[in-house]
Amino acid sequence: MFQPAITGSGVFTPDQVITNDELVESFNAYADKMNAQNADAIAAGDMDPVPHSSSEFIFKASGIEQRHVLDKSGVLDPDVMHPLLRQRGDDEPGVMTEMAVDACTKALTQAGLEGSDIDLVICAASNMERAYPAVAIEIQQDLGAQGFAFDMNVACSSATFGIQAAADMVRSGSVRRAIVVNPEICSGHLEWRDRDCHFIFGDVATATVIERSEDAKGDYFEIISTRCATKFSNNIRNNLGFLRRSRPDGVDDRRDMQFMQNGRKVFKEVVPMVSAHMLSHLEAEGVSDVRRLWLHQANKSMNDFIGKKVMGRTPETGEQPNILQDYANTSSAGSIIAFSKFSDDLQPGEYGMICSFGAGYSVGSVLVRRH
Ligand SMILES: CC(C)(COP(=O)(O)OP(=O)(O)OC[C@H]1O[C@@H](n2cnc3c(N)ncnc32)[C@H](O)[C@@H]1OP(=O)(O)O)[C@@H](O)C(=O)NCCC(=O)NCCS
């Protein structure tokens, strides 16, 4: 058995930013347009008007101030309301591959490695750009990595579940060096025309290098242990699937073929589930002084509750870093952005926990110790 360690991490951040004010302005223009188009039906009581969104609500309910996206022109156009991405040829790298390679290159540089040193690539994300070939295999090719690669999807928990899979393989010796990469194009599955959720997501890619601690070339975090759990729920759901053509209505732009959630229920049910999961993981390892929590980034109040429960007190500034004010919810990548940006100052011997949670429901925690 070998001791797995995280020796590098990296973040690809798209240049384009949408502030809450910009988002709300375009949403309200869309609402006015829809309401004008349907004025008669609304007046007759056959249809509800589309209500306006508000920046104050978004910030207060979620803590989000802005989001990065691959394309803001389509998202902000009231006649489009989704990203517009160029159709790529089969001989060009996919969009997910391109952003993944950027994040991987940064993670590899931090670890002092080349792509050819890697013998496992896991592309772990909430959505895949195509059914096959696996996006991970294209990333493997473009990195010049060896060995094998595969895709996995556990929605917002994809990164931690991917880290568990990679860490277990490094521990057993079946691979020597792995990279887990999370290219999340959340703008593609967000329903920008739905006021209740149009502010939630942003785009990003993160990557984490996992190898034997004895191979590490610089600073690293030992992966002490990982723990994953799932419990079925329909409160976060997307019905887009490969069987859509076979359904009687034959429609592929139904509301349920984008992200849907019952946010209130998710909040209420997931906070206790995650707090109990993290506490029992820490207890099983006999760790009572965890110094840093890198949590999934969906909602600031949610993280405040979880942080307080897990630490047994209100976390001090920096002990539970949030990045969602700048990135919004980036699905599985959120906790890894927080880890990548806010882990350098941890002292040797100090413990931290990465924890992601979301659709499934799913929760994954990774207990690390600074070497
Ligand atoms: C989504 C979320 C931010 C919404 O916050 P909330 O406080 O639950 O808000 P609600 O959806 O209950 O809406 C509260 C009110 O604000 C209104 N509202 C919703 N969106 C609005 C918007 N964009 N602008 C203005 N008002 C809005 C609602 O219509 C509702 O009005 P009502 O009280 O008159 O019915 C929050 O529930 C959340 O983050 N939940 C967890 C989600 C999560 O972790 N998901 C994982 C996904 S990976």
Side-chain angles (χ1 to χ4, degrees), residues 53-54 57 61 156 195-196 198-199 236 261 263-264 266-267 296 298-299 302 329:
S53 183
S54 111
F57 171 85
C156 290
R195 180 185 76 145
D196 289 355
H198 77 116
F199 53 90
I236 311 170
Q261 77 168 349
R264 271 279 150 97
V266 173
F267 195 111
H296 174 53
N299 182 296
M302 208 170 182
N329 183 342

